[in-house]
Amino acid sequence: NIASIYEDSSKELWIGSWEEGLYRIRTNGAIENFRHDPKNPNSICSDFVRSCCEDNLGNLWIGTFHGLNRYDKSTGQFQLYTANDNKPDGLTHSSIWCIVKDEQGTLWLGTYFGGVNYFNPETDIFTVYAANNSRNDCLNYPFVGNMVEDKDNNIWICTEGGGLNFFDRKTKKFTYFMADENRNSIAHNNLKAIAYSPERNKLYIGTHTGGLSIYFLKNKRFKNPYFEDPSYAVIAGDRINQMRIYNDELICTGPKGIFKMNLYTEKVSPLFKSGKYYGNTC
């Protein structure tokens, strides 16, 4: 059960699994599997690996069910960061869902109950954006699924119940985009995936039971194909778990399998020419 696939600057692949630890595929095809060893404090902290990201220094950061790991390629050792470290400037929650590196090299960590942690790898200092929907300098929901940075260096955050959260880096304020059938809005408040096209200045958001939402940043409009185009639902379904932009196409996975959307026409079709679907994709 594959949770994530990440390619680093050396073209090596790092594959996170739900129960089998972290896999490394070297450029020569050799495969290495990192598993948690209770007797080794320098081993990976959990076999439930959700995400990977490389920092500007070449270290690999791994988000797991039980904490954040830094992997040093030169030593082959893992260093653990958890919320149990009891540091005032430390990690606020140990369950890490996603890691995104921004243009400045800072890591944004999405946690399952501790909001977003903003982390500088060179100083080991965490800044937290907690959930409090009565304050506009906080998230509106603590479960964070994925994030992306736009061309203005602002952060768009998927929550699993609070819709889409927009963080303005200049004002340090949040704006919330939540589902509302009576107005222009996102399709659902439970969001799983997000991708951004700087050329089009559009966000593509994968929801749970609302299908795909497209947000046009220029005119602040949402488009929800699942509810607007009957042919979309047949091919793509109502749930999207992961997505990536590749060669002017949006590649998406979900219970119906893998499909693609042409970013020019916004028409969807099966990824494979045979039209076959492969269910239960991660």
Side-chain angles (χ1 to χ4, degrees), residues 129-226:
Y129 293 103
N132 186 339
N133 59 14
S134 66
R135 294 173 48 176
N136 63 5
D137 60 343
C138 294
L139 294 160
N140 71 340
Y141 206 77
F143 300 147
V144 176
N146 216 323
M147 293 176 281
V148 73
E149 183 181 21
D150 66 24
K151 64 181 180 180
D152 296 319
N153 303 123
N154 297 311
I155 307 295
W156 296 84
I157 302 165
C158 293
T159 73
E160 297 194 7
L164 183 66
N165 283 209
F166 167 71
F167 180 65
D168 190 313
R169 298 283 288 273
K170 294 180 180 178
T171 65
K172 308 295 183 184
K173 304 298 182 183
F174 285 86
T175 302
Y176 315 131
F177 297 85
M178 301 186 68
D180 185 341
E181 63 181 13
N182 297 317
R183 63 180 177 87
N184 167 51
S185 77
I186 199 164
H188 200 275
N189 288 329
N190 189 340
L191 311 183
K192 299 295 185 180
I194 189 166
Y196 172 69
S197 170
E199 298 83 7
R200 298 165 181 80
N201 203 24
K202 293 180 183 179
L203 290 170
Y204 303 90
I205 306 140
T207 79
H208 184 76
T209 70
L212 175 70
S213 278
I214 305 171
Y215 184 60
F216 300 74
L217 274 72
K218 183 178 180 180
N219 59 12
K220 299 181 179 180
R221 296 289 300 174
F222 280 96
K223 180 179 180 180
N224 299 310
Y226 178 74

Side-chain angles (χ1 to χ4, degrees), residues 224-258:
N224 299 310
Y226 178 74
F227 298 106
E228 300 167 13
D229 182 1
S231 65
Y232 169 92
V234 174
I235 296 173
D238 64 351
R239 286 169 284 170
I240 296 174
N241 296 330
Q242 291 193 15
M243 60 171 59
R244 291 290 186 274
I245 293 175
Y246 179 74
N247 287 347
D248 293 317
E249 291 182 322
L250 182 71
I251 312 298
C252 303
T253 72
K256 282 215 169 197
I258 307 174

Side-chain angles (χ1 to χ4, degrees), residues 26-27 33 38 45 55 63 93 99 105 114-115 162 164 179 181 226-228 238 256-258 268 271:
R26 298 178 183 268
T27 54
N33 183 212
C45 70
D55 67 21
H93 201 276
I99 308 174
L164 183 66
E181 63 181 13
Y226 178 74
F227 298 106
E228 300 167 13
D238 64 351
K256 282 215 169 197
I258 307 174
V268 297
L271 179 65

